[in-house]
Every structure is written in structure tokens, then in C-alpha cells.
Amino acid sequence: VISAWAVSGLPEIVAGDDLAALILAAGARPAAGEIVVVAHKAIAKAEGRVRALADVVPSPRALELAAAGGRDPRLVQVVLDESAEVLRDGPAALICRTRHGFVTANAGVDASNAPGEDAVVLLPLDPDASARALRARLGAAGAGGDPPAAVLVTDSFGRAWRHGQCDIAIGCAGLAPLVDWRGRRDRSGRELAATWIALADEVAAAADLARDKVSAEPVVIVRGLGRHVTTDDGPGAAALIRPLAEDLFR
Amino acid sequence: VISAWAVSGLPEIVAGDDLAALILAAGARPAAGEIVVVAHKAIAKAEGRVRALADVVPSPRALELAAAGGRDPRLVQVVLDESAEVLRDGPAALICRTRHGFVTANAGVDASNAPGEDAVVLLPLDPDASARALRARLGAAGAGGDPPAAVLVTDSFGRAWRHGQCDIAIGCAGLAPLVDWRGRRDRSGRELAATWIALADEVAAAADLARDKVSAEPVVIVRGLGRHVTTDDGPGAAALIRPLAEDLFR
């Protein structure tokens, strides 16, 4: 049995907040084998990854992309600043590869739940590092020789051929991001050819089901997957990024 | 709190099996507000959606695609038979749009867990209809005026820019496949611009976490999302397919 529940009672997160302390103060005590799933915005805000559009001067390229799409040129400039490459100019958003390598709408730059009328929230600079740092702080509050609770940092990503968004992992510490069944055999003894599970992304999706988008519930705890929680922080969500050379749809 | 657990004790599914009867015989009693998540292979096998490669005569196009990719031309022919369009000839698989509109590796044709050395399992012909039929049969075993348990049919799909697969919904009855937060406002009163959750896909992913790929656990029950379970069967997983006209990556 797996289960997931949101941590209630967290305050609005602002720059400089100690997220681990706030989670513990809210009464959550992540145990060994559990996974603490944090919406990236809470991390980004605590890390000050917020920009005020009033301070942004759009480049000629931003002005051009903004005019073509009816967008705010200052927002487009922030998106360009966060992007390694713009893959598509879609009707709803620019589809970008971020500097981390994630392919997502507007490079993850988002105005909803931002602090202030004119602010946008960026993705954390290094979400795997953010996950590792939070894990270290939460784990120190635990006890025993078991691996401390894992940490995921998540964002809602759209999908190329499907409507709607699913939460996926952009940062990960202490959880195997991928589980490889390839080479193992099915019940008939035949090799499981294409069974390579994006475990961290499935956990991110499961956690999102336990959360309310409007109320302040950025943190969800998932229980029942202790067999995938590791003592080492592991390769992080970076391991989930398909290398450019394997990209059939860039 | 949401929770998910696999139904144990199901037999290997064969053509003509009454899946609802088998689920009930296994002791599962899906209650109102719960979601019964079924791996598509159990549905496909019960519906006889299996082909023996020995009976397949590859076309010239199948022979050509097979030679280019070092593939079994009979498997390629089955993939072509299931495809409306081949989008990419990838190193690991043909990326196809199925006749239903799903974009997935090898049009969902899969040899793992297939019945027999030479057999492959296809996607159900109409997974939404399969979900509705199973829901009606399971619901009839329940009681009271509440909506009967919803049913999802799932498959593991790869993703264009990420490694690994996540389970998604290819069939759906009685669950809102998408939850639309657009137009609602965040805590600051700002509109939630791009918040349109692929709920059915997140439930599919969550359910996969409770399942073992090798042991016979095609059925998972998810509890805690009753607010999204509807009396009507609703639009099904077909509503999750992005129309061709909006496809930026075909």
C-alpha cells in the first residue's frame, strides 16, 4: 500500500525562509523510507528565485517573440534568460529547453502563486542541489541507521501529445529516479524489453493528487516506497533528462 | 490522504475471461469513490487483442522499416496495422500515432507478458469502452446511490524529452480525466493561468507505484479521490488526446 498526504499549516514561503524548519514546525516528521515531495515554487521562493517584471528590459528578440504571440515582452525576456533554446513558439507558451535541460512551457517561468502583482517565479537554479540540501536538513532531525526520508522537487509539465499537465520531478535526493526492469524476465521467462520506470515522476504525480493547488500545500509526504529510498542521494532528477543526441522531437 | 494498493490473487488473464468476475472473486470490493486502475494488458488479453507473429505477413514497407532498424518485420507489420501514422523511426522503437490518437512507442504493441513465445499484445480497440463496460459490471455488484467506482485503463508511455516511462490513462470511465483550475484565482487573487491537471494520468502513475511489473498485479485500487468520481462515465481518456491541429511536435 502506498499513501500520500499534504502537510498543512505551512506559511506563505518568502525569500530566505528555512523550508526544513517550517516543515518540521508544521508538525511533519518525515520518517525513514518516506518521500517528502515539495512543489518547486516553495523552494524557488525560499531561494529568492523570483523576478520583478518591472526591472526587466526586453531584448529585440524578446520584443519580436512577444509581438508574434501577444505576450508581455518582459515575461518573454525572463523566459529567454532561463532558456538554453526555444524549441517551439506555441499558441499558449514558448516551449523551451531550460539551462538544466528540462523541456517545458516558458522555461518553467510562472506568474501564478507568485509573490506580488508584477513578480514571476523561476525554477530553482539547481533543483537536485536544493533537494539534497533539504534532505540533509530534514534527515538531521531524524534518528537511527535507516536512510533518511528522500526529497523530490516537482513542477507541473505539459506533454507534447496530451492535454493537461502532470507533476514530474525536477529535483531528487535519496530516491532512485529510474527503476530498470530491462533484462529481467516476465512470468513466461521473456525479457521485459521496454520497462524502465520513471519512478520519481510517478511519485511526483501521485503526490500532486494529495495537494490542493489553491491552498498552501506545497509539501506532500509519500509512504510505502521505502524499498526505493537510498542512503546516498543518488544521481538526482538530472538522470531523467534525455540527452540531446537522443532527442527525436527537438 | 490518498492511498493505492494492488489486488492480489488474480489469475493469468486469457481471451474471453470475465475480468470483473475475476476482480470480485479475488476479494476486491471497489467502493463508491474509489478508482479501479487496470493495466491495459489484462483488458487486451481478455478481449483477445493478441496476435501471433507466425501468422503475420510483412508488407514491403514493414520489411524496409525492419531492415533499417534491425527489427522483426512481422512485429513492424503489426505496429503498422495499429498505427495511423509513424512519427519517428527511433533507435529503440517506432514512435507512432495509434488509430485511437495516442502517440507511443510501437503503437503500444508489446511482447512482454504476452501469452506465448510468438505472441504480442495490442492496445484494446476502444479502451474507453472497455473502461465503461468494466465499470458497469463492477458497479452492478455494489449498492447505494453513490457513483460506482471509476475505472481507468492504463499503459506505460515513454516521454519525448525524458528517460523512462510513466503509466498514463488510455481508458477512463467515471473519473474527470482533466481538472481545470484555469480561470480560478490563486491566494493573491491572480488567475491560475496554466493549471489544467491531467488527473487521470496522475492517478495512473500513482497506481503503478503500488504494482509489481513481474508478479500478476494488473489491478490497483486508488482511494481518496472520490470528489473527482462522477455518476456519468464522462468523456473518457479520449479527452486527454491533444488534437492534431495543436501538435507542435508531430
Side-chain angles (χ1 to χ4, degrees):
Chain A
V1 177
I2 65 150
S3 55
W5 61 92
V7 173
S8 57
L10 286 169
E12 187 72 41
I13 310 295
V14 297
D17 271 350
D18 180 342
L19 198 53
L22 293 174
I23 290 170
L24 297 170
R29 289 282 178 275
E34 294 180 346
I35 307 164
V36 181
V37 183
V38 186
H40 85 275
K41 272 184 199 169
I43 302 270
K45 288 180 194 175
E47 293 178 352
R49 288 279 290 163
V50 172
R51 285 185 72 180
L53 292 183
D55 300 338
V56 176
V57 180
S59 65
R61 181 156 185 238
L63 290 166
E64 187 185 329
L65 281 166
R71 303 179 177 101
D72 183 333
R74 303 168 306 166
L75 174 64
V76 172
Q77 184 59 52
V78 175
V79 170
L80 291 176
D81 291 344
E82 297 297 312
S83 295
E85 182 182 7
V86 177
L87 302 192
R88 293 289 189 281
D89 185 351
L94 297 169
I95 311 300
C96 304
R97 185 164 56 85
T98 70
R99 297 186 183 282
H100 329 80
F102 301 119
V103 174
T104 184
N106 284 342
V109 176
D110 195 350
S112 59
N113 279 324
E117 184 63 37
D118 198 45
V120 291
V121 181
L122 317 178
L123 296 187
L125 263 185
D126 183 344
D128 280 329
S130 303
R132 290 192 296 268
L134 181 56
R135 186 186 196 210
R137 292 269 296 128
L138 288 172
D146 290 326
V151 171
L152 290 187
V153 179
T154 63
D155 191 12
S156 300
F157 272 35
R159 295 92 48 87
W161 302 285
R162 289 175 78 76
H163 278 318
Q165 294 121 32
C166 282
D167 270 20
I168 60 145
I170 63 169
C172 175
L175 183 77
L178 290 151
V179 174
D180 200 344
W181 292 92
R182 294 172 300 180
R184 301 196 220 180
R185 304 208 163 254
D186 69 15
R187 299 185 300 283
S188 322
R190 303 173 75 176
E191 192 171 327
L192 292 167
T195 308
W196 192 30
I197 310 298
L199 180 77
D201 286 343
E202 291 195 335
V203 174
D208 193 44
L209 296 171
R211 174 193 291 144
D212 188 300
K213 290 279 170 192
V214 172
S215 65
E217 294 184 334
V219 180
V220 170
I221 297 181
V222 177
R223 178 180 292 168
L225 294 164
R227 67 191 181 281
H228 300 296
V229 175
T230 56
T231 301
D232 290 346
D233 287 331
L240 289 159
I241 297 174
R242 194 184 287 266
L244 277 181
E246 298 177 14
D247 179 0
L248 300 173
F249 294 98
R250 194 147 62 101
Chain B
V1 176
I2 65 151
S3 57
W5 61 92
V7 173
S8 57
L10 286 170
E12 188 72 41
I13 310 295
V14 297
D17 271 352
D18 179 343
L19 197 54
L22 293 174
I23 290 170
L24 297 170
R29 290 281 177 277
E34 292 180 348
I35 306 165
V36 181
V37 183
V38 186
H40 84 276
K41 273 185 198 167
I43 302 270
K45 288 181 194 174
E47 294 178 352
R49 288 279 290 162
V50 173
R51 284 185 72 180
L53 292 183
D55 301 338
V56 175
V57 180
S59 65
R61 182 158 185 236
L63 290 166
E64 186 185 331
L65 281 166
R71 303 181 177 100
D72 183 332
R74 304 168 305 166
L75 174 64
V76 172
Q77 183 60 52
V78 176
V79 170
L80 292 177
D81 291 345
E82 297 298 312
S83 296
E85 182 181 8
V86 177
L87 302 192
R88 294 288 189 281
D89 185 352
L94 297 170
I95 311 299
C96 304
R97 185 164 56 85
T98 70
R99 298 188 183 281
H100 331 78
F102 301 118
V103 175
T104 183
N106 285 343
V109 176
D110 195 350
S112 61
N113 279 324
E117 185 63 37
D118 199 44
V120 290
V121 181
L122 317 178
L123 296 187
L125 264 185
D126 183 344
D128 281 328
S130 304
R132 291 191 296 267
L134 181 56
R135 186 187 195 210
R137 293 268 295 129
L138 288 172
D146 289 325
V151 171
L152 290 187
V153 179
T154 63
D155 191 11
S156 300
F157 272 35
R159 295 91 49 84
W161 301 285
R162 291 174 78 75
H163 278 320
Q165 294 122 32
C166 282
D167 270 20
I168 61 145
I170 64 169
C172 175
L175 183 77
L178 290 151
V179 175
D180 200 344
W181 292 92
R182 295 172 299 180
R184 301 195 220 183
R185 305 207 163 256
D186 69 14
R187 299 186 299 284
S188 322
R190 301 174 75 178
E191 192 172 326
L192 291 166
T195 308
W196 191 31
I197 309 300
L199 180 77
D201 285 343
E202 291 195 335
V203 174
D208 194 43
L209 296 170
R211 173 193 292 144
D212 187 300
K213 290 279 171 192
V214 172
S215 65
E217 295 184 333
V219 179
V220 171
I221 296 180
V222 177
R223 179 180 292 169
L225 294 164
R227 66 190 181 282
H228 299 296
V229 175
T230 56
T231 301
D232 289 346
D233 287 330
L240 290 159
I241 297 175
R242 195 184 286 268
L244 279 180
E246 297 176 15
D247 179 0
L248 300 173
F249 295 97
R250 193 146 62 101

